Amino acid sequence: MDKLRSLTLFLATCEEQSFAAAARVCNTDPSTISKAVSRLEAELGVTLFQRSTRQLKITSAGRHYAQTVRSSIQALSSCEEELRQHNDAPKGRLRVNSAVCYGHLYLRPLLKTFCQRYPEITLELSLDDMHVDIIEQDIDVALRTGYVKDSRLVARCLSPMDFVVCASPAYLEQYGTPANYSEFTEHAWIGFKIKETQQLQPVFLPDAHGDYQLCELERTHITDDGEAMAQLCADGFGFAQLPHFLAKAGLESGSLVTLYPAFRAPMPDSGVFAIYPKREYLPARVRVFLDFLVAALEAQQETPTRTWAEHWPSRVQFD
């Protein structure tokens, strides 16, 4: 029998002043009550009740122990109720970490509405492109692009990651639009260097049939910042292969145009993910944030299986 159960039976005996009466209250039998009290007495090395054939009388040590036990159980009960309410209500500190570009371009514009909707949630936002151990750093939700491989975490897909080959209208006007891969190699290209690996992001271009192939291209300019990459492209430095969330603002404003239809890497684990630690009971503050984010992205035509980029018009179309 666990200690808490023994203490509960002990308190019932104090209040009822009888093993039989305590047994009725606790829905058990008198021998179970008697054994629980005897076990406590043996552990403590004191007598909690004086027993006779006709009555059960609590000792001074028993009364002192009962006061402490009663106070402890009440405190535990209050704490458990507070935890249940805190977990069931959307309030408290919500620690969110995001990849830098996604955080600036997609997440930040949504946060004012979220915080207005849930005023009892205190948001703590951090932006980082490097690997972050969200369990060690006590982060509730992390937003990441690419791949997620950690058995301790839940990875909820927010959207695929679609890429578009972009250039500025001014660049195309000055240098022309390449008609095939060999012509494309003659143009300036902006490369992206992945911070964690220091490797250049691979480039995929379509062949004459519209099938994307890995291409070896000289990078005229290189950056490790996604927003800088998109801006360099808009400023006319050359072509860039941009993920949809980096290209969106430029395409909508007209500072960028797409040359080809959107490309999606043939890797099923690639995408944009909301990542959070595995737990049996997800706190309400995390649950409402995830639901809010999914609904907001859906309003922008992004779901776990598609993005708006699939239908964005491009200069070149394939049969």
Side-chain angles (χ1 to χ4, degrees), residues 247-318:
K248 186 176 184 183
L251 292 174
E252 290 178 339
S253 69
S255 63
L256 293 174
V257 295
T258 60
L259 191 63
Y260 302 117
F263 162 74
R264 185 175 302 172
M267 304 171 190
D269 297 330
S270 178
V272 180
F273 296 91
I275 307 165
Y276 49 95
K278 286 183 178 178
R279 58 184 82 179
E280 188 172 357
Y281 302 106
L282 194 64
R285 66 184 184 277
V286 176
R287 187 171 62 252
V288 297
F289 177 74
L290 293 172
D291 291 344
F292 171 85
L293 191 57
V294 168
L297 290 175
E298 189 170 353
Q300 297 177 189
Q301 298 182 302
E302 295 192 29
T303 72
T305 59
R306 62 180 175 85
T307 77
W308 55 268
E310 293 180 25
H311 306 292
W312 193 268
S314 60
R315 291 287 182 98
V316 179
Q317 292 290 331
F318 298 95

Side-chain angles (χ1 to χ4, degrees), residues 8-297:
T8 302
L9 298 180
F10 164 68
L11 286 182
T13 305
C14 294
E15 294 168 2
E16 301 299 327
Q17 300 181 25
S18 162
F19 288 151
R24 288 193 294 272
V25 169
C26 297
N27 194 29
T28 186
D29 56 86
S31 66
T32 299
I33 303 287
S34 177
K35 289 177 182 177
V37 171
S38 297
R39 190 175 295 108
L40 287 174
E41 290 177 326
E43 291 178 3
L44 297 169
V46 299
T47 301
L48 299 175
F49 294 97
Q50 295 290 353
R51 301 161 176 81
S52 70
T53 55
R54 291 190 298 178
Q55 66 175 354
L56 188 70
K57 185 177 181 180
I58 191 168
T59 64
S60 58
R63 281 193 294 271
H64 178 65
Y65 189 52
Q67 289 175 350
T68 302
V69 170
R70 188 176 291 107
S71 176
S72 298
I73 289 181
Q74 288 174 347
L76 179 61
S77 178
S78 297
C79 179
E80 289 175 344
E81 180 60 26
E82 182 181 343
L83 288 174
R84 278 192 291 269
Q85 290 181 358
H86 186 76
N87 207 53
D88 291 342
K91 61 182 180 180
R93 184 183 66 168
L94 177 67
R95 300 191 68 191
V96 178
N97 177 271
S98 174
V100 177
C101 294
Y102 197 85
H104 279 302
L105 299 174
Y106 264 45
L107 179 60
R108 183 197 53 76
L110 303 175
L111 294 180
K112 184 176 182 180
T113 300
F114 175 77
C115 290
Q116 288 174 338
R117 187 174 299 179
Y118 301 102
E120 292 189 81
I121 292 179
T122 302
L123 182 67
E124 186 174 317
L125 176 65
S126 60
L127 303 177
D128 199 326
D129 283 331
M130 302 299 286
H131 171 76
V132 176
D133 189 324
I134 68 174
I135 294 178
E136 181 178 325
Q137 297 193 24
D138 194 27
I139 292 170
D140 291 304
V141 182
L143 304 182
R144 283 288 177 268
T145 60
Y147 311 93
V148 181
K149 294 182 180 179
D150 192 329
S151 60
R152 303 172 303 164
L153 305 175
V154 176
R156 180 172 178 178
C157 185
L158 300 176
S159 77
M161 191 155 61
D162 287 333
F163 290 89
V164 285
V165 176
C166 295
S168 70
Y171 180 90
L172 295 178
E173 183 177 346
Q174 182 175 359
Y175 297 104
T177 300
N180 52 52
Y181 171 71
S182 61
E183 289 187 15
F184 197 94
T185 60
E186 300 171 3
H187 285 261
W189 182 264
I190 305 165
F192 181 74
K193 181 181 286 186
I194 303 168
K195 289 181 181 179
E196 279 193 320
T197 64
Q198 292 298 296
Q199 299 295 312
L200 289 175
Q201 186 179 69
V203 176
F204 292 86
L205 292 174
D207 59 21
H209 304 290
D211 297 322
Y212 279 83
Q213 310 292 337
L214 178 64
C215 298
E216 295 297 331
L217 293 172
E218 289 285 338
R219 270 64 158 197
T220 313
H221 313 285
I222 296 173
T223 179
D224 64 358
D225 182 87
E227 288 182 271
M229 183 185 185
Q231 190 58 56
L232 288 170
C233 188
D235 290 342
F237 279 75
F239 286 94
Q241 178 184 272
L242 299 173
H244 68 276
F245 52 84
L246 272 177
K248 186 176 184 183
L251 292 174
E252 290 178 339
S253 69
S255 63
L256 293 174
V257 295
T258 60
L259 191 63
Y260 302 117
F263 162 74
R264 185 175 302 172
M267 304 171 190
D269 297 330
S270 178
V272 180
F273 296 91
I275 307 165
Y276 49 95
K278 286 183 178 178
R279 58 184 82 179
E280 188 172 357
Y281 302 106
L282 194 64
R285 66 184 184 277
V286 176
R287 187 171 62 252
V288 297
F289 177 74
L290 293 172
D291 291 344
F292 171 85
L293 191 57
V294 168
L297 290 175

